[in-house]
Each structure stands twice: as structure tokens, then as C-alpha cells.
Amino acid sequence: MEFADEARELLLVAPADFVRERTARQRAVRKDDRALATRIGGLRKPAPAAWVVDLLAHEGALDEAVDLGPAIRQAQADADPDEIRRLRRQRSDVVAALAQAGADLASDAGHPLTSAVLDQVRATIEAAMADGHAGAAVRSGLLVRPLESAGFDDVDLDGALADPDAVPDAWSGTDAEPIPITSARRSRKGSRASRPEPEPEPELQPEPQAESGPRTDPAAERRAAREAEATARAESRDADAALDAREQELEAAEDRRAELERQLADATAEVERAERARDEAADASDRARDLLRAAQHHRRDVGH
């Protein structure tokens, strides 16, 4: 199997069981394909919301949501308020239905969702509608973290997929050779300044605010917010990696304990067998002494 196929299967495993299943799969393929085993060992555990979205992708349940995205974006481009309102109502219904379906799948797997995780599932589905690249990522079944749409900015897909090269539509939407999403996003963000900013959709036009205090630079605030988010995301990835490492250490320790317990059980059984053999030998020795004493008495009786 290709790594992407292995990853899709493993990402359907509940996060609580993920590390154990990943370790088992890594060991299973190591003899035949060490490179594949190494990639499997490096596969990140999915965030709970990403796991739910991958379950929905596996069921083919996300197609309607992702296919609705272009219609919404076209209505926004056409500045058609009536169509925008109609499609937004439809989007709300679709997102609610999918969130419920995801919650049901998680419950069936024995891992009910918290309200916070369910909010992340909704945000990820909405991001898939807002950005065609995010839609491709969500449909791939390779998601490892939730997504979020922020206004007119592209959805940030860095670190979102287990195998970015397996989902070229997540960065280009073309038949070009796949490249890592990180590189593609860098080049796209670098050229964004040369493109005109799109007009905001009518329904989302902000209300005029009365000026109070010193004016701030919105662009600088957005940059600062993005930098803070990037820092938090990096810290979250580091924490996830540390957690994975500790879980792998725990898994290895449990394996060692299981092996020691097996050895102890074998040794206990061996001791019990030796004790039984000793008891049987003692019984045989007692019987032999009894026979010897009887033979000696018989000899003395015959001699008299």
C-alpha cells in the first residue's frame, strides 16, 4: 500500500487508540518496506475534530458541502444579496446536518464529542466551503488538524494533511506535479499583494463605528493576529509531538512489561512442573523404601 492509503486507514482510528494502532502497523510493514514503516511511525495523531471530519470523508458525506462552496463564492463575487442569503441558509442546514452525522459516528465509535470539538468540526466544514483548496483537503480523508476560514484570506493548510503531496488540489487545483503545501502556500501568499482585494459581500458589510481614541492599522493587527496564531499552532504541534513521543514510550514500556509478565508466567509454570516432579519422585522414593523394608523383614523371617 502507498503511504497515503495507510494514513487514511489509520486516521479512522479513534485518537485514544491511534498510537497503539500506528505502532502495530509500523511493525507489520517494517520487514517488507522500511521506508514506509518510517513514514507510518512519523504520522501525526489527528486532533479529535480532524478525526471526525476524516470519518465523514470516508463515508462520502462531505461532497454536498464542498460542492456548495463555488456557488456561495460566485454569489459573493456577483454581489447578489438574495442569492447569498439563500445559499447561506442552505450552508447552515448542511453544516448542522454534517456536524450531527459526525457526532453520531464518534458516539458509535465509543468517543462522544465535546461541544468544543463539535464547534471545530463545523468550522472545518465551513472552511471547506469557503476555499476550494480547503475543500480538497477535507475530502481527502488525510486531515490531521481542524481548519478555520478567516474572512477573505486563504484557509491555512500548513501542517493540516498527513500527506500533502497526495492532495495536489489542496494547493493548485491543476494537474501539475504535487509539491508540499508549505511551499505552495508560501508562493501564493507572496503574490497576493499584486492581486486586487475582492469587494466584501453585502450581507457581511460592517456597521460604521464611531471613532474613539487613536486609530489603529487593521493590516498590522491582522499580521499580528496571524503571527500569534502561527506561534500558537507551532506550540500546539510541538506539544502534540511530545505527547506522541510519551505515548510511544508508554507503549514500549507496556510491551516490555507484557514480555516480563509472560516470562514470569513461564517461569512460574516451570517451577510448578519441577515441584510436581519432585513430589512424584518423593512418592516413588517412599514406595521403594517400603519395598526394601518388606524385603528385609521377609529375609529375616526366612532365616529363622
Side-chain angles (χ1 to χ4, degrees):
M1 293 177 68
E2 297 292 336
F3 172 66
D5 297 325
E6 294 279 3
R8 283 189 182 93
E9 288 189 3
L10 282 170
L11 292 174
L12 297 177
V13 176
D17 304 321
F18 177 81
V19 172
R20 182 176 65 253
E21 292 296 328
R22 180 185 62 189
T23 300
R25 188 57 190 156
Q26 182 184 21
R27 290 172 179 170
V29 304
R30 182 178 292 152
K31 180 179 179 182
D32 297 325
D33 193 335
R34 296 189 65 85
L36 178 58
T38 298
R39 295 196 70 186
I40 290 173
L43 180 62
R44 285 179 56 196
K45 180 173 71 174
W51 167 61
V52 174
V53 172
D54 287 335
L55 290 177
L56 291 169
H58 180 69
E59 297 287 326
L62 296 171
D63 293 348
E64 180 182 0
V66 175
D67 291 343
L68 187 60
I72 295 174
R73 295 193 292 275
Q74 186 60 50
Q76 291 171 343
D78 294 341
D80 185 340
D82 293 336
E83 185 67 1
I84 289 174
R85 281 192 289 272
R86 183 187 72 79
L87 289 171
R88 280 187 173 275
R89 285 193 296 271
Q90 184 178 352
R91 180 182 72 175
S92 178
D93 291 342
V94 170
V95 170
L98 286 172
Q100 184 58 55
D104 292 343
L105 288 171
S107 294
D108 291 344
H111 297 273
L113 302 183
T114 64
S115 59
V117 170
L118 202 54
D119 286 343
Q120 291 179 336
V121 172
R122 294 189 188 97
T124 299
I125 297 169
E126 289 173 352
M129 295 177 170
D131 183 328
H133 304 299
V138 162
R139 286 172 107 166
S140 71
L142 293 169
L143 206 65
V144 293
R145 69 167 177 83
L147 305 180
E148 185 176 4
S149 176
F152 293 105
D153 288 341
D154 295 331
V155 174
D156 182 8
L157 295 177
D158 288 344
L161 292 173
D163 186 5
D165 293 347
V167 196
D169 285 351
W171 59 267
S172 69
T174 72
D175 293 329
E177 286 297 314
I179 61 174
I181 283 178
T182 302
S183 303
R185 285 300 186 192
R186 189 179 301 118
S187 63
R188 292 175 63 206
K189 288 177 181 176
S191 63
R192 189 180 298 154
S194 64
R195 302 199 303 267
E197 289 292 324
E199 291 294 326
E201 60 183 274
E203 192 173 271
L204 298 180
Q205 188 69 32
E207 294 292 331
Q209 301 290 328
E211 292 189 6
S212 59
R215 298 184 63 182
T216 59
D217 182 356
E221 289 184 345
R222 287 196 297 272
R223 284 195 300 272
R226 284 196 294 269
E227 290 171 359
E229 181 184 357
T231 299
R233 182 175 294 114
E235 291 176 353
S236 176
R237 284 197 294 265
D238 290 344
D240 285 345
L243 175 60
D244 279 354
R246 301 294 83 75
E247 287 179 333
Q248 286 181 308
E249 290 173 359
L250 175 60
E251 185 78 16
E254 289 176 344
D255 287 346
R256 289 195 297 273
R257 181 179 66 180
E259 176 62 20
L260 290 173
E261 289 175 347
R262 185 189 65 77
Q263 292 176 1
L264 176 60
D266 290 345
T268 301
E270 184 64 26
V271 168
E272 291 174 350
R273 285 193 296 271
E275 288 176 342
R276 285 194 300 270
R278 181 202 59 191
D279 293 342
E280 291 171 358
D283 290 342
S285 176
D286 290 341
R287 289 193 298 272
R289 287 196 190 96
D290 290 341
L291 289 172
L292 174 60
R293 283 194 294 270
Q296 288 172 339
H297 289 156
H298 179 68
R299 177 178 58 77
R300 284 196 294 269
D301 290 344
V302 171
H304 291 146

